[in-house]
Amino acid sequence: MKRLFVCLVFLFVFFGTIVSKPIEDKDIYASIVNWTDQKIVSNVKETIPKIVFDEDDPEFSGKNTATSQGKAHSMARKKAKEKLKVRLSQRLESILFNSDYTIYEYTQVNQQARLRLNSYIGAEKEEYDFQFIKNVLEAKASLAIKGKDGILAHIPMEYGTEPVPEFSEELVPVEFTGLVVDARHLPVKRALFPKIQTDRGLDVYSPLYVKEAYAIETGYIVYRADQNGKLYETKVGKNPYFVLALSVAGKNQTDLVIPTDEAAKFLSHPESRKNITRCRVLILVSQ
């Protein structure tokens, strides 16, 4: 009986990990911001041009026709790439940058950001996947949020200019490998740079506290629906501090408020504060 119980628990945990879905936001074209895997994805379907190789055929060399299968596939890929680039660019600019701006709005008030974003979009950092099915091309393109070719590496942001706040605890400070904020009960909106603050208005997580290299390489923030899987541990380690958010804040409702006493418990240890600078922070949200 005990063995059966252990097997059932294992299957439950394993199955829960497998079916766990990423946190995604979609626009009207079904272009997706995947906040868990840190990428933007868009899909299109393109009809493959008709193949007309007979010079006497009235449609020969006509619009939307090709003289060979290779040419037809090439034409379909070109059209699909053009549409995907537009959709990814539109989706990128509509992402919430922080509690005040979308990415587009941020680039309107920051000329350097506008120039670097334009350069990034023109640099063709997209990854493509093409599948030809009968007379249709199913095409997918993605842009990374993190990494050297990701969005974060090409949008200027002021990082690491202030020290992480320190608290003195009466109890012996405990080292935590990261911070997990549970906001699954709140209407929080996802953004590239949300802040976490105490109920007394003190920021405990902000771009001003983190190291640029960590933000770019691991992502400033990751949103998940659960605490399962290796990627969870990769982000916040084996012993993260878990706290329940009190409310959302900011114009765009992207920032989170946590109790001051909870922040004090987490930030009282120097290694815990160091892990803040390493972006070892994760937010749990509802799907």
Side-chain angles (χ1 to χ4, degrees):
M1 185 68 181
K2 184 177 180 180
R3 183 178 297 177
L4 176 62
F5 176 76
V6 172
C7 290
L8 288 174
V9 170
F10 173 79
L11 289 173
F12 176 78
V13 173
F14 179 76
F15 182 73
T17 302
I18 294 298
V19 301
S20 178
K21 294 182 179 179
I23 296 300
E24 298 178 338
D25 290 331
K26 295 182 180 180
D27 65 7
I28 58 173
Y29 299 108
S31 296
I32 296 169
V33 179
N34 184 326
W35 294 104
T36 303
D37 298 330
Q38 299 275 283
K39 60 184 178 180
I40 305 174
V41 181
S42 188
N43 298 271
V44 297
K45 291 184 178 181
E46 190 69 36
T47 301
I48 299 172
K50 182 179 179 181
I51 300 173
V52 181
F53 53 85
D54 186 350
E55 294 182 3
D56 295 328
D57 192 306
E59 292 185 275
F60 183 77
S61 295
K63 188 177 181 180
N64 297 322
T65 67
T67 56
S68 67
Q69 185 183 64
K71 182 64 174 178
H73 285 187
S74 177
M75 292 170 64
R77 278 195 296 266
K78 182 179 179 181
K79 287 186 178 181
K81 286 183 69 173
E82 291 172 350
K83 291 180 181 179
L84 287 169
K85 284 182 69 70
V86 171
R87 291 189 182 182
L88 284 176
S89 177
Q90 291 173 334
R91 190 67 189 94
L92 169 59
E93 294 196 334
S94 69
I95 293 175
L96 288 177
F97 182 74
N98 58 19
S99 62
D100 294 315
Y101 305 109
T102 63
I103 287 183
Y104 173 77
E105 291 168 342
Y106 179 68
T107 61
Q108 297 307 295
V109 299
N110 186 317
Q111 182 64 23
Q112 183 186 12
R114 180 74 262 171
L115 294 174
R116 288 186 61 178
L117 187 63
N118 286 343
S119 176
Y120 175 71
I121 292 172
E124 297 188 352
K125 300 292 186 179
E126 305 90 353
E127 291 187 2
Y128 293 97
D129 178 66
F130 299 109
Q131 300 291 330
F132 293 95
I133 302 174
K134 294 184 178 180
N135 66 329
V136 174
L137 167 63
E138 295 185 0
K140 179 173 73 173
S142 62
L143 277 173
I145 292 177
K146 63 180 182 179
K148 62 182 180 64
D149 290 328
I151 297 163
L152 294 178
H154 295 82
I155 294 181
M157 166 58 72
E158 192 174 17
Y159 292 106
T161 59
E162 297 181 13
V164 178
E166 295 186 26
F167 288 84
S168 297
E169 277 288 287
E170 294 181 2
L171 300 176
V172 177
V174 178
E175 177 184 346
F176 294 100
T177 58
L179 177 64
V180 178
V181 180
D182 190 347
R184 288 175 288 190
H185 58 297
L186 296 172
V188 61
K189 293 183 180 179
R190 273 79 79 169
L192 288 181
F193 295 104
K195 292 195 298 184
I196 299 170
Q197 57 190 210
T198 70
D199 50 6
R200 296 179 185 175
L202 176 67
D203 289 344
V204 295
Y205 189 58
S206 158
L208 299 181
Y209 301 153
V210 308
K211 296 178 180 178
E212 182 175 5
Y214 281 96
I216 291 172
E217 183 61 29
T218 69
Y220 170 80
I221 199 72
V222 168
Y223 295 93
R224 286 180 62 97
D226 54 53
Q227 299 158 262
N228 298 326
K230 291 183 178 180
L231 292 179
Y232 172 85
E233 187 175 305
T234 299
K235 183 63 175 173
V236 293
K238 294 183 178 180
N239 183 39
Y241 189 79
F242 185 93
V243 60
L244 190 68
L246 295 174
S247 61
V248 295
K251 184 181 73 174
N252 289 329
Q253 300 290 281
T254 61
D255 300 342
L256 292 171
V257 179
I258 64 174
T260 298
D261 58 342
E262 299 280 8
K265 291 176 183 177
F266 173 70
L267 293 175
S268 60
H269 196 287
E271 287 301 315
S272 299
R273 295 193 295 274
K274 187 177 292 185
N275 284 326
I276 281 289
T277 70
R278 297 167 175 164
C279 300
R280 306 202 76 171
V281 179
L282 183 146
I283 297 174
L284 296 177
V285 295
S286 59
Q287 290 182 330

